Amino acid sequence: MITKNRQSNDTISRMAKVAFPDKQVTEIKELTEGMCNVTYSIAFSDGSESILKVAAKDRSGNTSNEVNLMRAEVTAMKLVAEKCSFKVADVQYYDTSNTICDGNYFFMEKLEGDNFHFVKEKMSEEEISAIGKELGRISRELSTIQNPDFGFLGEDTRYDSLYAFVKQMLTNLISDAERRNVDILYDGRTLLDQLEKEESAFREVKKASLVHWDMWEGNVFVKDGHVSGIIDWERAMWGEPFMDDRFRMHNRDKYFLEGFGQTSFSEDELKRLRWYDIILYLTMMIEVFYREFEDKGQYFWAREMLEKVV
């Protein structure tokens, strides 16, 4: 995968020595679950562990909506740690100098618990519902972190309306698809015209909230029946809470909505939810070709979802 900027054990040991001068590395293990940046689990002789995340060395594997992903992630994690009651990993060291490593990187605390995606099958319906409700409350709490303008956390460009931001996201995706000749089923101009006709549906959202955007089960850690942490904040943005993955057509379950405190939606809200569905499924189709995935299964799944919402 083109965005996986793997490093040698020697380089990683040198990175760790700068971040933790009093510690000795005893084990380095790549964590293979992520679909973008490369991540390692680092064990030290004192028994402690840290997670190392290394960014790609260039933007060739990123779509236009993926801007300064590591900066976005670190910024979001620090904001949440300061303002929210739920757990995110502490950022222990962040380096953008590119002196030891040819990509930006950071070390963070290793969260306790298990990845929800991998243990869900073994959990009872009662446990799953409790986690779902907790994630809803987390999403609601996240929405209390607000900003006057909209935009990606990783860049300085801001939009004075939610509609302007969403239109830019869609425009970027259409351009990305054209650049790599990705078949997105629909004419880009037609999609933009449809969005313009529903511009009024976005007007009621006056302030931007912090949005994780990708809070699917693989980015949730659980322990003792509770959420023990949320990871992968690299796509964080100033947007509307409904933009998160938990609100997507394939993922919108009653437990999460109960926890969030909203189980039904107005006509305008349903219109916005539909556009956020379209943007996610287009993203999942297009990134297959930018990341150079060998398996194109994600493209065909997202294409099927797109057909359902369009």
Side-chain angles (χ1 to χ4, degrees):
M1 200 180 300
I2 194 171
T3 54
K4 295 270 188 179
N5 186 12
R6 292 182 174 85
Q7 303 295 314
S8 68
N9 282 3
D10 179 60
T11 299
I12 291 170
S13 295
R14 287 191 288 131
M15 292 155 75
K17 194 66 184 171
V18 172
F20 308 100
D22 299 327
K23 293 187 178 187
Q24 187 70 40
V25 173
T26 55
E27 185 183 19
I28 298 167
K29 179 185 175 185
E30 182 181 346
L31 304 176
T32 56
E33 294 87 4
M35 302 295 280
C36 188
N37 295 328
V38 65
T39 308
Y40 300 92
S41 176
I42 315 295
F44 298 98
S45 56
D46 64 358
S48 63
E49 292 180 85
S50 284
I51 301 297
L52 166 65
K53 200 163 186 177
V54 185
K57 53 187 168 187
D58 59 47
R59 283 188 44 80
S60 59
N62 294 132
T63 62
S64 301
N65 288 334
E66 297 176 308
V67 190
N68 296 322
L69 295 181
M70 193 151 281
R71 172 179 153 191
E73 182 160 23
V74 169
T75 301
M77 289 166 71
K78 288 181 176 178
L79 269 172
V80 171
E82 180 187 333
K83 297 179 180 290
C84 293
S85 63
F86 63 89
K87 180 66 179 167
V88 291
D90 289 331
V91 177
Q92 298 165 319
Y93 186 83
Y94 178 37
D95 187 354
T96 59
S97 68
N98 295 165
T99 50
I100 304 175
C101 168
D102 58 5
N104 298 341
Y105 66 90
F106 68 90
F107 287 90
M108 64 179 173
E109 168 192 15
K110 185 173 183 178
L111 291 175
E112 294 184 355
D114 299 302
N115 189 301
F116 187 30
H117 180 61
F118 296 127
V119 299
K120 186 180 178 181
E121 280 186 9
K122 300 172 187 173
M123 297 172 73
S124 68
E125 186 65 22
E126 189 179 357
E127 289 172 315
I128 291 168
S129 68
I131 297 293
K133 288 175 185 175
E134 205 165 318
L135 286 170
R137 291 193 291 272
I138 284 170
S139 190
R140 174 63 75 180
E141 185 178 1
L142 194 59
S143 72
T144 64
I145 305 178
Q146 296 187 330
N147 195 58
D149 301 308
F150 302 83
F152 299 112
L153 226 63
E155 71 173 356
D156 297 327
T157 303
R158 292 288 175 261
Y159 302 86
D160 60 7
S161 73
L162 175 59
Y163 171 75
F165 180 39
V166 171
K167 183 180 179 182
Q168 188 61 58
M169 291 179 77
L170 183 60
T171 302
N172 287 347
L173 287 165
I174 291 164
S175 298
D176 287 344
E178 289 172 352
R179 204 171 291 121
R180 295 288 177 94
N181 295 312
V182 181
D183 178 12
I184 58 171
L185 292 175
Y186 304 98
D187 174 66
R189 185 67 256 170
T190 303
L191 285 174
L192 286 166
D193 287 345
Q194 285 183 13
L195 176 66
E196 193 172 333
K197 287 175 185 172
E198 298 187 354
E199 185 263 342
S200 61
F202 294 84
R203 290 178 192 161
E204 65 187 12
V205 184
K206 305 294 186 187
K207 281 190 175 180
S209 300
L210 185 60
V211 180
H212 183 287
W213 200 78
D214 196 21
M215 209 185 291
W216 76 290
E217 292 159 1
N219 287 334
V220 175
F221 272 67
V222 295
K223 183 184 178 185
D224 300 330
H226 293 283
V227 176
S228 58
I230 308 291
I231 63 168
D232 281 1
W233 293 81
E234 58 208 19
R235 299 187 197 231
M237 59 181 68
W238 292 115
E240 178 183 19
F242 297 164
M243 297 171 93
D244 191 80
D245 183 84
R246 304 299 308 188
F247 288 95
R248 297 293 56 79
M249 179 184 70
H250 67 282
N251 217 7
R252 202 183 306 154
D253 71 76
K254 62 180 181 178
Y255 305 126
F256 172 80
L257 295 179
E258 282 176 25
F260 185 76
Q262 183 169 347
T263 54
S264 62
F265 301 92
S266 69
E267 189 178 335
D268 281 347
E269 287 172 337
L270 287 170
K271 286 178 181 177
R272 297 199 301 275
L273 284 165
R274 176 175 168 269
W275 282 108
Y276 306 148
D277 283 343
I278 290 169
I279 283 171
L280 175 69
Y281 301 136
L282 283 173
T283 300
M284 293 182 75
M285 289 164 69
I286 293 162
E287 72 179 7
V288 166
F289 298 92
Y290 277 76
R291 301 272 199 278
E292 297 181 3
F293 290 176
E294 287 183 26
D295 181 355
K296 301 295 188 286
Q298 177 177 300
Y299 168 83
F300 291 107
W301 178 87
R303 178 182 166 127
E304 190 179 324
M305 293 296 108
L306 182 67
E307 283 185 285
K308 289 181 181 179
V309 292
V310 174

